[in-house]
């Protein structure tokens, strides 16, 4: 049976990315060696990193003066590296969910942290809008897509201080104005690669401004200077990321990714709004295109497990909501074909006919 992979992350990747990476694991560039058994300093690997960086810059239209890094540690390590490198006295955070909260927690070890607004009181079903960012904060931290709750900030904010963004789950799903940020980071395991590599886009002249001593590995400057090769980088995930970047370019770039994301999200939200058995959980204006969250309507609440079983029997994978919110979550990342979204919609319609 065909599987429709709605996993939230690690998640679906384009088939050719998996095939090309599998091939390189068997034989890298006809060298007779596996990608897993070559040195990251091998002459054939440097072009992989160089092309991945170049494609990052091209696809996201990154201006001069920024570096693209591929690191280990996941987005969770960035929660700590960001304040280590940018927080001198005070930082402002927008609390839009568990990941934002975890980022705030790390920052508190480095200075004053201002929570400018929070939607915790409504289980993060919306993105706060009326707030003031303190002008004397070193940076303002946002999470553009809240993977667990299905809310998304789909525009680049105009803020009077430097902005840092966790874009783990929506990078490459829309064009972004990188010049509005000093740092954009994320775990790659949604729209880019398997887990194991973290991407960081950092503005070079925003570095070196804090007075503290930064441990070598946690200092962005180390990795800018070393071209992501200060130590052994995650070779296999970087290779896979390169395949995804090539795929995005060949498919028409981030503008096309955005068009597809809107098309898929509109299809599924239309069904959620039409079908009497389901209700969307996120505020309509903040609905995520990447993670589409919904629950059973109150009068059908007891059928939640039945629908999960029904959908699973028809090939749907990973639609159970995050354990902290329940219900369902269909993650529709770039590699998710429209046909899979349609298959889920068909399931919802068939289920409705049975009840
Ligand atoms: C928005 C967001 N930020 C951060 C993380 C944590 O990423 P990692 O597991 O790479 O540390 C996740 C993981 O799902 C996420 O969705």
């Amino acid at each position: 049976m065909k599987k429709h992979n709605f996993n939230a992350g690690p998640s679906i990747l384009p088939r050719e990315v998996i095939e090309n990476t599998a091939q390189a694991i068997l034989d890298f560039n006809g060298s007779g060696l596996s990608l897993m058994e070559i040195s990251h300093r091998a002459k054939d690997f440097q072009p992989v990193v160089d092309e991945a960086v170049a494609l990052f810059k091209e696809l996201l239209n990154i201006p001069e003066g920024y570096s693209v890094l591929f690191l280990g540690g996941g987005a969770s390590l960035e929660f700590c590296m960001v304040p280590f490198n940018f927080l001198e006295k005070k930082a402002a955070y927008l609390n839009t969910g568990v990941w934002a909260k975890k980022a705030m927690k790390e920052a508190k070890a480095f200075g004053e942290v201002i929570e400018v607004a929070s939607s915790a009181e409504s289980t993060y079903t919306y993105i706060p809008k009326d707030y003031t960012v303190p002008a004397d904060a070193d940076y303002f931290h946002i999470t553009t897509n809240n993977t667990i709750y299905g809310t998304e900030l789909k525009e680049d904010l105009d803020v009077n201080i430097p902005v840092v963004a966790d874009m783990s789950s929506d990078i490459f799903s829309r064009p972004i104005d990188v010049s509005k940020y000093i740092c954009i980071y994320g775990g790659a395991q949604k729209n880019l690669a398997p887990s194991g590599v973290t991407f960081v886009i950092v503005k070079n002249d925003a570095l070196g401004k804090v007075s503290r001593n930064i441990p070598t590995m946690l200092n962005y400057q180390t990795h800018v200077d070393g071209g992501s090769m200060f130590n052994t980088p995650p070779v296999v995930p970087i290779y896979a990321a390169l395949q995804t970047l090539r795929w995005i370019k060949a498919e028409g770039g981030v503008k096309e990714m955005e068009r597809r994301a809107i098309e898929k999200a509109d299809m599924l939200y239309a069904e959620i709004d039409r079908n009497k058995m389901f209700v969307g959980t996120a505020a309509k204006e903040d609905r995520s295109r990447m993670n589409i969250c919904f629950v059973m309507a109150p009068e059908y609440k007891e059928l939640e497990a039945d629908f999960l079983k029904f959908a699973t029997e028809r090939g749907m994978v990973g639609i159970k909501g995050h354990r902290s919110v329940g219900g369902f979550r269909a993650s529709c990342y770039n590699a998710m074909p429209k046909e899979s979204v349609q298959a889920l919609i068909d399931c919802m319609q068939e289920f409705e006919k049975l009840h």
Side-chain angles (χ1 to χ4, degrees):
M1 186 190 13
K2 173 157 178 49
K3 298 281 185 176
H4 302 283
N5 183 358
F6 291 95
N7 279 327
S11 44
I12 187 167
L13 288 168
R15 191 69 210 166
E16 67 186 65
V17 169
I18 296 167
E19 283 170 1
N20 293 351
T21 308
Q23 182 50 47
I25 285 174
L26 293 173
D27 183 2
F28 176 60
N29 277 1
S31 63
L33 297 175
S34 166
L35 177 62
M36 297 194 298
E37 51 183 12
I38 56 159
S39 163
H40 56 295
R41 309 217 183 264
K43 74 169 178 10
D44 281 2
F45 189 68
Q46 186 62 47
V48 170
V49 177
D50 293 345
E51 187 184 344
V53 169
L55 279 173
F56 238 86
K57 291 185 172 173
E58 179 185 334
L59 291 167
L60 294 176
N61 203 12
I62 300 177
E64 287 292 306
Y66 284 80
S67 298
V68 174
L69 311 175
F70 297 112
L71 309 176
S76 299
L77 185 59
E78 300 313 308
F79 295 164
C80 145
M81 281 177 76
V82 162
F84 232 133
N85 284 264
F86 300 120
L87 200 168
E88 180 69 17
K89 282 205 174 75
K90 186 198 276 192
Y93 279 70
L94 186 62
N95 181 4
T96 52
V98 161
W99 299 117
K101 245 176 100 171
K102 288 189 172 174
M104 277 169 65
K105 175 172 179 268
E106 295 305 303
K108 283 176 187 162
F110 299 90
E112 189 186 349
V113 172
I114 310 284
E115 181 185 87
V116 297
S118 163
S119 48
E121 87 294 342
S122 91
T123 332
Y124 299 114
T125 50
Y126 69 96
I127 296 194
K129 295 180 188 68
D130 297 321
Y131 53 80
T132 311
V133 180
D136 60 344
D138 298 313
Y139 62 84
F140 178 44
H141 181 282
I142 55 174
T143 311
T144 51
N145 186 68
N146 299 284
T147 325
I148 297 175
Y149 315 92
T151 62
E152 186 177 10
L153 242 173
K154 297 184 269 302
E155 283 140 35
D156 305 306
L157 299 176
D158 280 310
V159 187
N160 50 348
I161 62 168
V163 180
V164 175
D166 173 356
M167 294 198 186
S168 293
S169 50
D170 61 348
I171 190 80
F172 294 112
S173 70
R174 65 173 172 96
I176 46 177
D177 181 353
V178 175
S179 71
K180 291 192 170 163
Y181 303 84
I182 54 163
C183 180
I184 296 171
Y185 67 85
Q189 62 272 18
K190 287 113 167 46
N191 262 340
L192 193 60
S195 62
V197 64
T198 314
F199 64 85
V200 179
I201 303 168
V202 64
K203 190 171 187 186
N204 299 330
D205 69 13
L207 296 173
K209 295 198 170 153
V210 289
S211 48
R212 74 176 60 82
N213 212 343
I214 308 174
T216 310
M217 271 299 281
L218 301 181
N219 192 335
Y220 286 128
Q221 194 64 54
T222 303
H223 303 289
V224 171
D225 294 344
S228 298
M229 294 281 203
F230 172 75
N231 70 323
T232 316
V235 167
V236 173
I238 291 175
Y239 186 87
L242 171 61
Q243 308 311 307
T244 305
L245 294 163
R246 285 180 178 167
W247 176 84
I248 295 172
K249 182 172 173 173
E251 295 290 311
V254 284
K255 197 85 201 110
E256 173 63 12
M257 294 299 124
E258 181 181 46
R259 190 197 64 73
R260 294 181 191 181
I262 292 172
E263 185 180 34
K264 289 178 284 181
D266 283 354
M267 281 165 61
L268 188 47
Y269 283 123
E271 177 59 19
I272 291 167
D273 292 342
R274 186 210 61 78
N275 193 314
K276 66 178 188 297
M277 302 190 76
F278 303 99
V279 192
T281 49
K284 283 199 178 163
E285 68 276 15
D286 298 325
R287 282 175 162 180
S288 169
R289 298 168 185 152
M290 298 288 104
N291 311 99
I292 297 178
C293 296
F294 55 102
V295 292
M296 301 305 299
E299 58 273 41
Y300 297 103
K301 190 93 198 98
E302 75 287 358
L303 292 177
E304 184 171 311
D306 288 4
F307 178 67
L308 190 60
K309 181 164 178 282
F310 184 85
T312 305
E313 284 166 3
R314 284 156 184 77
M316 306 304 132
V317 176
I319 63 163
K320 197 170 172 11
H322 189 271
R323 60 191 180 282
S324 63
V325 294
F328 307 100
R329 168 175 56 175
S331 296
C332 299
Y333 296 119
N334 285 346
M336 165 68 59
K338 196 167 120 184
E339 293 67 35
S340 289
V341 177
Q342 189 57 51
L344 175 58
I345 293 170
D346 292 346
C347 249
M348 293 162 79
Q349 295 182 346
E350 268 183 64
F351 195 68
E352 185 188 29
K353 283 199 197 106
L354 292 174
H355 295 90

